[in-house]
Amino acid sequence: MNILGVIPARGGSKEIKNKNLKKISGKSLLQISIETSKKSKYLTKLILTSDSDKIIDHGKKFNVEIPFKRKKYLSGDKSNIYDVIRDALKRSEKYYNIIFDLIVILQPTTPFRTAKQIDECIKMLLKFNSDACITIKEPDYPPHWTLKLKNNKLSFLMKSNLNFTRRQDAPKTYIPAGSVYVLKKECLMKLKKNLPNQNTLG
């Protein structure tokens, strides 16, 4: 079983400049992701994919493997993350001469993960033979009360708010936490929409 860990960190960002290099307690988000991911027991290879020389140089300080530079057309604001990971997978298999079975996406912008969480997601996917496994969390606000605005008029986004007047009465729901995505290679290559799909564990 060969497992590829991919840390995607592009240089451009309209919202926060150099966001992957922002620091928490003296460590950059990229450094935190590299150091945590390297503690995983199951990753065969861990790579950084970036189009930015600044990010690449920073990553080299923490001994993460950077076998190639990301292509510019995969580094824009509208670039699909799964296209980025598919490209990284194909180029990694050629570079290392290894066929990978699982791919783990480890985004620097969600740094509060542990190596244990990475490994637990991998183990869960293998145990239940699922297509994917992702970390999840409860939303700050019940989605049943989400609103949309049209012509200055508010209405519920969902067809029915199910008449929940108290937060605690609403069904418990979850959103992707973004910290760990584990996918079978076959799932990644076919994926066109965001996870979860019909066979995703959380």
Side-chain angles (χ1 to χ4, degrees):
M1 174 69 66
N2 293 313
I3 304 175
L4 176 66
V6 181
I7 299 176
R10 69 186 181 94
S13 177
K14 287 184 178 180
E15 294 181 357
I16 304 175
K17 189 176 181 180
N18 294 319
K19 63 182 179 182
N20 293 298
L21 300 181
K22 296 298 181 183
K23 292 186 176 182
I24 298 176
S25 300
K27 290 187 177 183
S28 70
L29 300 183
L30 181 59
Q31 178 183 353
I32 294 170
S33 291
I34 293 171
E35 291 179 345
T36 300
S37 302
K38 289 179 75 171
K39 294 176 183 176
S40 167
K41 298 177 182 178
Y42 298 113
L43 297 181
T44 308
K45 292 288 183 180
L46 175 67
I47 69 164
L48 166 66
T49 171
S50 182
D51 63 311
S52 165
D53 291 333
K54 187 173 183 179
I55 289 176
I56 289 172
D57 289 342
H58 185 68
K60 287 177 179 178
K61 296 178 183 178
F62 310 105
N63 298 316
V64 67
E65 294 191 42
I66 311 170
F68 43 78
K69 188 175 182 179
R70 192 193 302 185
K71 299 172 183 177
K72 284 292 182 184
Y73 80 91
L74 291 171
S75 303
D77 290 329
K78 296 182 180 180
S79 298
N80 184 305
I81 183 62
Y82 299 118
D83 288 338
V84 172
I85 303 304
R86 279 188 281 265
D87 178 72
L89 169 64
K90 291 176 183 177
R91 296 173 74 182
S92 293
E93 288 187 331
K94 184 177 181 179
Y95 181 86
Y96 293 114
N97 194 27
I98 296 174
I99 300 299
F100 292 99
D101 305 288
L102 301 181
I103 298 85
V104 184
I105 306 172
L106 303 156
Q107 300 179 103
T109 48
T110 49
F112 300 110
R113 72 176 66 82
T114 64
K116 183 179 180 181
Q117 287 175 325
I118 298 171
D119 291 346
E120 285 180 346
C121 284
I122 294 170
K123 288 191 292 184
M124 185 178 291
L125 183 146
L126 294 174
K127 179 179 179 180
F128 293 99
N129 192 29
S130 183
D131 289 335
C133 182
I134 67 175
T135 50
I136 57 175
K137 63 181 181 179
E138 292 186 36
D140 296 328
Y141 192 80
H144 311 87
W145 295 343
T146 303
L147 304 173
K148 61 181 178 179
L149 182 65
K150 185 176 182 180
N151 297 325
N152 295 321
K153 292 184 179 181
L154 292 170
S155 61
F156 284 105
L157 179 63
M158 301 174 69
K159 290 183 178 180
S160 171
N161 68 351
L162 304 182
N163 297 318
F164 297 121
T165 57
R166 300 188 310 162
R167 179 191 181 108
Q168 57 265 39
D169 293 333
K172 187 167 286 190
T173 58
Y174 301 91
I175 59 175
S179 52
V180 182
Y181 290 78
V182 182
L183 302 92
K184 282 185 177 177
K185 179 179 178 179
E186 294 81 4
C187 175
L188 172 65
M189 300 311 291
K190 295 178 181 178
L191 199 60
K192 295 181 180 179
K193 298 180 180 180
N194 287 334
L195 287 171
N197 61 13
Q198 292 181 339
N199 195 16
T200 299
L201 302 173

